[in-house]
Amino acid sequence: MPATVIVGAQWGDEGKGKIVDLLAQDSDLVCRYQGGPNAGHTIVHDGETFALHHVPSGILAGKLCVVGAGCVVDPGLLVAELDELEGRGVSTTSVRVSGNAHLIMPWHVAIDSASERHLGRLQIGTTRRGIGPAYADKAARIGIRVQDILEPKILRQKFETALAEKNLVLERIHGVPPLEVEELAERMEAYAARLRPYVADTSLLVDHALREGRRVLLEGAQGTLLDLDHGTYPFVTSSSPLAGAAATGVGIGPTRIDRVLGVAKAYVTRVGEGPFPTEIEGPEQARVRELGAEYGTTTGRERRCGWLDLVGLRFAARVNGMTSLALTKLDVLSAFEDVPVCTRYRLPGGSETEEFPAHQSDFHHAEPVYETLPGWLEPLEDAESLADLPAAARAYVAFVEERLGVEVSLISVGAERERVVAPRGLASVAG
Ligand code: IMP
């Protein structure tokens, strides 16, 4: 059962890092297939906390870790992350970065911030890490790729050509100071020298691993509703976090993927702008935020919090072909006497639907219809099996399974890797 995709089923921050960290113990390879340093995983490993942006969390378990072709890489941030890991005694010799991945250059970061400022109240609320501008240049076929760092002359040439145009954009369109060519070129060359040993043909590497029957995890960043094609456009990221994109993002065929594990919180969070039907009104939102420590790993921003949205989750199950679901942070709901779950949306004309609206205006005006489940008001942290959970918590999980038509194969009840219940055993999740 070699290849399993781990995909965010909401708006990101579902706790994928922790699930990957857990499953990586019994895997051989962990690959990122899209996104860049807009993602952030906080992982508690052997009592130490690590915040990773580029490197897959499998690195802490000493696994081969791949940054696939579908990713965008900020060389300065990647170098800092590698140095930080090495500095804390974690070897990074098993990290491989696809030569086809694109580089996020300083002008991408500058343009991301400048264009958000320009949009004013229409802004997307990006992480300002240069993600959109880097993917835009990739699609326009003027991007600089990781493999360009292997040839200093070519890198320098591409750098100068790009900067001649980008400085005009920065100055004339956005009214911000241009970037200084010499200083930046020197910095890039230093990063290039540090990163050269990590560059590899990662598509071939993953193919070999699969042929040898090794277990491969394909780790998505962000989440389904932030997908460029199927998410809540334009309040989305600029890549495809969906399970289907895992194949193109690492460079294998879709027939090589065996399982798709969706990851969803037992409630919902969203950072940045955009519609959010189940966003909690009133003081309970702040309560969920405090209990769940819902502040961005990458930006430190407060996350908006809402009740579980089964309409969105059903959509995620569909577009990802989810084979099972990991339900995270169930313990956060222990504080609530009643737990509302959105099972339908009421649309502007008054009709109700269980399907995610295909039209943006319907989604923007959708009102959540809730069914309220009794809370359990007991801590869950020490639960080791389904039977250890209070009856009301088990009923909550069963309700989700039944309404979704997807089995819940993992339930997380605390921050550490061990605080996970696997009702049918871990082997059923990733083979
Ligand atoms: P970008 O990916 O930085 O361009 O941001 C686009 C949208 O995706 C914004 O709403 C961000 O807040 C959101 N976003 C990007 N990465 C993440 C993530 O890892 N978790 C949650 N939201 C994210």
Side-chain angles (χ1 to χ4, degrees):
M1 286 296 143
T4 302
V5 181
I6 318 276
V7 61
Q10 295 160 329
W11 275 289
D13 308 317
E14 299 91 349
K16 297 177 292 291
K18 182 185 146 172
I19 301 295
V20 173
D21 183 39
L22 173 75
L23 299 179
Q25 311 306 313
D26 295 318
S27 301
D28 301 297
L29 220 88
V30 185
C31 314
R32 281 273 308 269
Y33 57 86
Q34 47 70 231
N38 47 348
H41 297 321
T42 307
I43 295 144
V44 184
H45 190 93
D46 291 342
E48 276 200 70
T49 303
F50 291 85
L52 300 175
H53 295 286
H54 272 308
V55 178
S57 40
I59 195 68
L60 300 173
K63 306 298 170 165
L64 201 54
C65 283
V66 164
V67 177
C71 297
V72 284
V73 176
D74 183 317
L77 292 178
L78 178 57
V79 165
E81 202 163 302
L82 294 168
D83 287 347
E84 159 93 12
L85 285 164
E86 291 281 350
R88 292 171 70 184
V90 180
S91 168
T92 61
T93 52
S94 59
V95 173
R96 303 281 183 281
V97 183
S98 166
N100 286 357
H102 278 246
L103 289 174
I104 300 174
M105 289 283 132
W107 54 83
H108 293 135
V109 180
I111 291 170
D112 196 358
S113 285
S115 62
E116 281 281 273
R117 276 197 300 275
H118 242 160
L119 283 170
R121 65 180 187 82
L122 297 177
Q123 67 174 284
I124 293 161
T126 73
T127 59
R128 303 196 174 200
R129 293 291 177 110
I131 306 297
Y135 276 113
D137 279 357
K138 169 180 170 172
R141 293 155 297 177
I142 54 169
I144 300 181
R145 295 191 295 173
V146 166
Q147 60 182 278
D148 293 324
I149 70 178
L150 298 174
E151 293 165 280
K153 260 197 189 147
I154 293 183
L155 180 66
R156 175 80 187 208
Q157 220 171 38
K158 290 197 173 180
F159 190 82
E160 284 175 358
T161 310
L163 207 45
E165 184 208 315
K166 299 298 180 185
N167 267 343
L168 287 178
V169 173
L170 284 172
E171 276 189 288
R172 305 237 178 118
I173 298 178
H174 296 297
V176 297
L179 296 164
E180 211 279 299
V181 183
E182 263 324 301
E183 186 272 323
L184 276 186
E186 268 173 38
R187 192 142 50 93
M188 286 307 133
E189 274 149 18
Y191 293 148
R194 173 80 171 84
L195 293 177
R196 257 170 228 134
Y198 295 95
V199 182
D201 182 347
T202 51
S203 160
L204 189 63
L205 192 146
V206 176
D207 180 68
H208 281 167
L210 289 171
R211 280 173 198 276
E212 287 161 13
R214 299 214 275 151
R215 290 161 198 242
V216 175
L217 293 182
L218 305 170
E219 174 185 2
Q222 290 84 47
T224 300
L225 296 172
L226 290 172
D227 184 85
L228 184 58
D229 290 313
H230 300 281
T232 52
Y233 191 90
F235 304 103
V236 294
T237 192
S238 296
S239 66
S240 176
L242 297 190
T248 47
V250 293
I252 57 170
T255 49
R256 313 294 292 281
I257 294 171
D258 303 271
R259 297 183 194 211
V260 176
L261 174 66
V263 185
K265 273 181 200 159
Y267 50 97
V268 185
T269 62
R270 170 163 212 179
V271 267
E273 306 305 318
F276 181 1
T278 64
E279 186 165 16
I280 302 169
E281 285 167 18
E284 281 194 321
Q285 168 155 192
R287 211 153 154 235
V288 173
R289 183 179 304 119
E290 288 311 315
L291 290 166
E294 295 297 352
Y295 300 91
T297 321
T298 301
T299 59
R301 288 182 290 180
E302 277 188 358
R303 295 180 183 144
R304 300 156 66 193
C305 300
W307 301 119
L308 187 63
D309 181 349
L310 289 181
V311 179
L313 209 48
R314 208 175 288 113
F315 173 72
R318 162 158 58 100
V319 294
N320 289 299
M322 224 183 256
T323 53
S324 78
L325 180 74
L327 201 59
T328 62
K329 291 192 152 182
L330 188 63
D331 51 306
V332 172
L333 297 183
S334 292
F336 297 89
E337 220 160 291
D338 299 306
V339 192
V341 177
C342 168
T343 54
R344 302 184 298 287
Y345 289 162
R346 188 169 301 116
L347 299 176
S351 63
E352 290 186 4
T353 179
E354 290 191 344
E355 298 301 342
F356 198 76
H359 195 280
Q360 58 189 5
S361 296
D362 284 338
F363 182 64
H364 283 232
H365 297 109
E367 297 273 349
V369 179
Y370 289 110
E371 293 185 34
T372 300
L373 275 64
W376 42 93
L377 298 171
E378 277 180 56
L380 308 179
E381 278 77 359
D382 294 329
E384 287 178 5
S385 71
L386 199 60
D388 297 336
L389 292 178
R394 285 203 306 272
Y396 188 84
V397 173
F399 185 82
V400 172
E401 281 188 325
E402 192 250 316
R403 295 301 175 97
L404 211 57
V406 174
E407 76 169 38
V408 173
S409 56
L410 288 174
I411 305 160
S412 99
V413 292
E416 294 85 9
R417 191 208 304 152
E418 298 73 29
R419 305 252 182 250
V420 166
V421 171
R424 290 160 203 88
L426 269 187
S428 76
V429 182

